[in-house]
């Protein structure tokens, strides 16, 4: 990893677990079994200071979190200050995605147009409420447009051109 390489969050330390330095990590990745396996290298967001490189010593899934022990940290006092901090990986360590799937950071900022080339706005956020993602399209001077991320609506995505082509269901634009 180089200092200027972008970093992406794969988990958040939500608390400690026991007295021996284990932490509870809420995963923010589609690949938790890879990110939190023994030997994996993660970077603890330094807040106002530099990020700290950590190596997973052991981890196990527990309900909706992972209980993680990092090498060299074996007391609650050592890990208590980490609560609320993010665990990250460099861009070079991102998992390859199948064709037609994208990381959120690749989509945010894309221009959104309809099938006729009419500009609708810019994708500003991706919501993940459940069954499918929802793209928030920011429209200057108008309410944000909420676009369901389903194949019948999202017709084409080009992260290289920073462009998304959509076919809006009738009435969606007026909501």
């Amino acid at each position: 990893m180089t200092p200027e390489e972008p970093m992406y969050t794969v988990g958040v330390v939500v608390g400690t677990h026991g007295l021996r330095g284990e932490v509870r990590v809420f995963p923010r990745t589609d690949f938790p079994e890879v990110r939190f396996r023994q030997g994996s290298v993660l970077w603890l967001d330094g807040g106002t200071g530099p990020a700290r490189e950590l190596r997973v010593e052991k981890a196990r899934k527990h309900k909706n979190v992972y209980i993680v022990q990092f090498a060299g940290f074996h007391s609650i006092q050592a890990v208590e200050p980490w609560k609320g901090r993010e665990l990250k990986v460099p861009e070079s360590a991102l998992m390859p995605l199948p064709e037609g799937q994208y990381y959120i950071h690749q989509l945010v900022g894309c221009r959104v147009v309809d099938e006729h080339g009419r500009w609708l706005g810019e994708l500003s956020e991706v919501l993940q409420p459940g069954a499918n993602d929802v793209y928030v399209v920011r429209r200057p001077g108008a309410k944000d447009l909420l676009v369901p991320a389903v194949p019948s609506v999202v017709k084409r995505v080009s992260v290289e051109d920073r462009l998304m082509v959509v076919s809006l269901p009738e009435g969606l634009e007026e909501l």
Side-chain angles (χ1 to χ4, degrees):
M1 186 196 96
T2 60
E4 63 277 347
E5 189 173 1
M7 302 286 281
Y8 297 98
T9 301
V10 296
V12 177
V13 178
V14 293
T16 58
H17 182 83
L19 302 173
R20 297 198 172 128
E22 291 180 313
V23 292
R24 292 181 303 121
V25 176
F26 183 77
R28 301 237 336 251
T29 174
D30 289 338
F31 310 101
E33 65 287 344
V34 173
R35 296 299 177 202
F36 306 120
R37 74 173 167 219
Q38 183 178 8
S40 291
V41 174
L42 301 173
W43 292 80
L44 180 68
D45 183 7
T48 57
R52 171 184 279 180
E53 182 177 356
L54 301 171
R55 185 168 305 277
V56 175
E57 189 170 285
K58 61 182 179 177
R60 65 188 182 281
K61 186 163 178 38
H62 178 71
K63 298 181 182 175
N64 67 334
V65 297
Y66 278 76
I67 306 298
V68 182
Q69 175 91 55
F70 291 103
F73 298 92
H74 296 101
S75 73
I76 190 171
Q77 293 82 7
V79 297
E80 238 173 357
W82 298 357
K83 186 176 180 182
R85 308 250 303 271
E86 296 179 342
L87 295 168
K88 299 183 174 210
V89 296
E91 187 169 52
S92 59
L94 291 177
M95 304 291 292
L97 296 176
E99 174 117 8
Q101 291 186 16
Y102 307 94
Y103 283 104
I104 290 173
H105 72 269
Q106 293 175 306
L107 298 174
V108 171
C110 281
R111 293 172 292 124
V112 180
V113 300
D114 69 12
E115 294 173 299
H116 308 292
R118 183 173 58 99
W119 184 78
L120 299 173
E122 183 177 292
L123 198 146
S124 65
E125 184 179 359
V126 177
L127 305 176
Q128 298 178 300
N132 58 269
D133 291 352
V134 176
Y135 298 147
V136 179
V137 178
R138 176 104 347 109
R139 303 185 296 174
K143 288 179 77 169
D144 289 348
L145 183 63
L146 302 178
V147 177
V150 295
S152 62
V153 174
V154 179
K155 297 301 184 182
R156 186 169 69 84
V157 174
S158 172
V159 293
E160 297 81 17
D161 297 329
R162 311 290 298 143
L163 179 69
M164 179 180 291
V165 178
V166 298
S167 174
L168 298 179
E170 192 163 325
L172 182 69
E173 206 170 347
E174 286 77 39
L175 291 177

